[in-house]
Amino acid sequence: MFTAVPPLQPLALGWLSAACVQVAVLRLDLIDPLISGNKWYKLSEHLHHMEALGASGVMSLGGAHSNHLHALAAAGHRLGFETVGLLRGHPQVTPTVTDLQAFGMALHWLGYGGYRQRHDPGFWAPWQARYPHLLAVPEGGGAEAGARGCQVLLDLVRGQLPALGWDGFDGWWLAVGTGTTLAGLVLAGGAPVYGAMAVPEGHGVAENISALVGKAGDYELVDASRGGFARVDDELLEFMLAAEAESGVPLEPLYTGKALLTLRHNLHRFAPGTRLVFVHTGGLQGRRAMPGCR
Ligand SMILES: Cc1ncc(COP(=O)(O)O)c(C=O)c1O
C-alpha cells in the first residue's frame, strides 16, 4: 500500500564521537508528512487484515494527542477507508483532534473511567455492534499484527548498511510505549534491542512484550520515563533542543527525545567502536501542543 524507504543516516553528535560510539538514525519520521513514524509499520498488517476481512475501515483508541490515531485518520483519509477514534477523557480541542476531524475520523470521548475499561473482555462489544463493518485495532496499533508489521525494519536497515560503510550493527535503541515496535524488532532478530521506556513501570508494558516475544528474546528495557508518561522537564527540553540543533534531526520530548537522552545516560555501557541503530519513531505532530518545543 505504501512503500517509502526510511533513510538511515549517521547521527552527528559530539558526545557520541567523544565516546567513539557510532549511531545511525532510521528516519521513520521521513516516510510521509502525515502517516509518519512507527505508526505506519504497526498499522500495515492491521490494514491487510481489514482488507482480508472485507471490513470498510478501522476503529481504535488513543488520547487527545495520539500519534497513532493521527496516523490512522490520515491513512483512512488518504487510502479511502472509514475511521473511528475512541478517545480518552472529555471533549477538548488540540491540534491533533482538529486534524482527526479534518481527516474525517468520527470521534467518541469515553471519559477517563470509560477509557480505563479498554482492556476489559467486553469492551469492544457495544462498539462492534454499533460499527459492525469496522475492524477494532487496540491502542497504539498494538498486538501481534502490529509487531509483525515492524519486522520489516530489519531489512530496511540491512539494505542501507553498505552505504554507511557498516558491515553490521550491534544493537537497536528505540523509545517504548506499548512495546509493540520493540517486539517486532526482537522477533526479526539481527541484533539486541534496547528499549527506552517512555512509560513508567507498572503499566503492563513488560508483560505485553513478553506476551508478544516469549521469554527468550534478546532485549532489555531501560527506564526513560523521567517519572511519568508525558512528563517533560528542563533537562530533557534543553538536551533535546541542543541535540536537534547539532544533528539537524527533529525530535519531540515524549518518545524520541527521552530515548536519546537515556542513550546518553547509558553510553558508558557501550565499548568504543559500538554501532547502534536509533529508530526515530516519529511523533513530531504531537509536538505542536507542547510549550517550549515550537
Ligand atoms: C513517537 C512514538 N514513538 C514511540 C512510540 C512507542 O511505540 P510502541 O507503542 O510500539 O512501543 C509511540 C507510541 O506508541 C510513539 O508515538
Side-chain angles (χ1 to χ4, degrees):
M1 267 190 232
F2 186 79
T3 51
V5 174
L8 182 68
Q9 304 171 337
L11 185 61
L13 289 167
W15 50 271
L16 290 172
S17 332
C20 296
V21 170
Q22 285 179 272
V23 176
V25 56
L26 184 64
R27 297 286 306 271
L28 303 187
D29 58 312
L30 291 180
I31 57 170
D32 184 85
L34 292 174
I35 311 170
S36 156
N38 57 342
K39 308 301 160 302
W40 170 251
Y41 299 94
K42 291 203 284 182
L43 274 175
S44 58
E45 288 292 312
H46 288 294
L47 298 187
H48 285 308
H49 193 201
M50 171 191 88
E51 282 183 343
L53 288 173
S56 57
V58 169
M59 54 182 165
S60 193
L61 294 144
H65 303 283
S66 169
N67 295 319
H68 161 63
L69 288 184
H70 196 267
L72 175 63
H77 188 245
R78 175 99 48 92
L79 303 173
F81 62 85
E82 190 180 337
T83 55
V84 170
L86 308 181
L87 282 109
R88 175 175 42 231
H90 303 293
Q92 55 172 303
V93 179
T94 66
T96 306
V97 168
T98 302
D99 282 355
L100 299 182
Q101 287 165 329
F103 295 144
M105 180 177 257
L107 305 185
H108 299 279
W109 295 86
L110 305 189
Y112 292 98
Y115 196 82
R116 266 196 296 277
Q117 290 164 16
R118 66 195 179 282
H119 302 303
D120 293 356
F123 174 81
W124 284 106
W127 295 108
Q128 208 66 81
R130 181 163 178 174
Y131 295 109
H133 52 294
L134 298 188
L135 173 70
V137 166
E139 189 176 42
E144 205 247 332
R148 221 170 337 113
C150 294
Q151 292 189 41
V152 68
L153 296 179
L154 177 60
D155 286 339
L156 295 178
V157 163
R158 280 192 173 143
Q160 298 185 72
L161 292 176
L164 290 182
W166 291 15
D167 53 6
F169 65 105
D170 304 302
W172 299 94
W173 192 279
L174 80 160
V176 167
T178 62
T180 309
T181 310
L182 174 138
L185 298 180
V186 173
L187 291 171
V193 189
Y194 298 91
M197 296 264 288
V199 177
E201 264 186 57
H203 287 79
V205 177
E207 292 77 1
N208 183 42
I209 295 169
S210 39
L212 290 169
V213 305
K215 297 274 176 225
D218 190 1
Y219 69 95
E220 182 184 326
L221 300 176
V222 184
D223 179 44
S225 69
R226 306 189 68 74
F229 177 66
R231 195 159 299 170
V232 175
D233 53 62
D234 290 346
E235 184 196 352
L236 172 63
L237 274 187
E238 276 162 30
F239 167 82
M240 185 188 90
L241 296 173
E244 284 186 332
E246 190 182 349
S247 67
V249 176
L251 301 165
E252 49 65 57
L254 302 195
Y255 294 99
T256 49
K258 280 184 175 173
L260 193 62
L261 178 57
T262 306
L263 173 60
R264 183 169 192 177
H265 288 155
N266 283 268
L267 205 58
H268 59 275
R269 300 175 48 188
F270 297 107
T274 301
R275 288 169 170 163
L276 298 175
V277 172
F278 180 90
V279 184
H280 192 311
T281 43
L284 298 171
Q285 70 82 27
R287 184 178 161 141
R288 293 172 296 175
M290 291 173 204
C293 288
R294 276 163 279 173

